[in-house]
Amino acid sequence: LRSHSMELLGTQNVGKDIHVHVGEGGIPKDGPSAGLAVAVALVSAATNRAVKQGIAATGEIGLSGDIRPVGGLREKLIAAKRDGFGTVLIPKRNEREVLQLPKDVQEGIKLVYVAQLDEALSVALEPPIPGSPPLRRTTHAAIGTPNRDATEA
């Protein structure tokens, strides 16, 4: 958010750092693939722009907003179709791999290839509501196992 704060929030002063902690327990390679989805969710919350219905996303994201390729696309696309997602955002650098997948895996789902975060946001988010404030300011979010200190307080 910080590197794109002027375009997204209209200010360079973000005011808060956001720390996302993904707890242990998953397969080590699972985490980076969720980077794009987590970034879209954070921008949605910070800008009060809803994520469009039926959108799924996969892709590792770099600090400059570049979307990096991921593995396991066949399984991810099958799961997205099974769960009713109509559109899946996929790293542009995975396009060749997707084109080699069986046609039945690709059918019935719209694949959108993205190379940068701003491309993904323009597809995934609803237009901004004029004058609408951010939903809330979050300073800490956790996915998976909560921090023990937080649960014992």
Side-chain angles (χ1 to χ4, degrees):
L1 283 175
R2 186 179 310 276
S3 62
H4 297 277
S5 63
M6 195 57 152
E7 309 100 84
L8 296 172
L9 305 172
T11 179
Q12 289 185 337
N13 182 14
V14 176
K16 299 271 184 186
D17 284 337
I18 299 173
H19 173 81
V20 178
H21 173 76
V22 179
E24 294 180 28
I27 299 170
K29 65 181 181 176
D30 284 350
S33 294
L36 178 57
V38 170
V40 168
L42 289 172
V43 171
S44 171
T47 62
N48 201 27
R49 292 174 64 190
V51 177
K52 293 176 183 173
Q53 292 291 317
I55 299 262
T58 187
E60 185 174 342
I61 186 167
L63 292 175
S64 63
D66 58 310
I67 309 301
R68 300 175 182 160
V70 295
L73 284 176
R74 180 180 185 280
E75 293 78 10
K76 291 173 183 175
L77 293 176
I78 290 170
K81 285 174 60 171
R82 179 194 64 221
D83 292 341
F85 289 96
T87 302
V88 180
L89 305 180
I90 298 175
K92 175 80 173 149
R93 289 169 43 194
N94 278 116
E95 188 171 10
R96 185 177 304 164
E97 178 186 346
V98 172
L99 294 175
Q100 294 174 359
L101 293 175
K103 293 297 178 201
D104 65 317
V105 173
Q106 300 176 50
E107 290 174 354
I109 198 162
K110 180 181 177 183
L111 304 177
V112 179
Y113 298 98
V114 294
Q116 291 289 319
L117 177 60
D118 58 349
E119 297 171 34
L121 296 175
S122 69
V123 174
L125 298 180
E126 295 287 355
I129 301 169
S132 180
L135 294 175
R136 61 187 163 149
R137 296 264 182 206
T138 302
T139 56
H140 183 92
I143 299 171
T145 308
N147 181 326
R148 285 189 183 156
D149 294 338
T151 56
E152 294 172 357

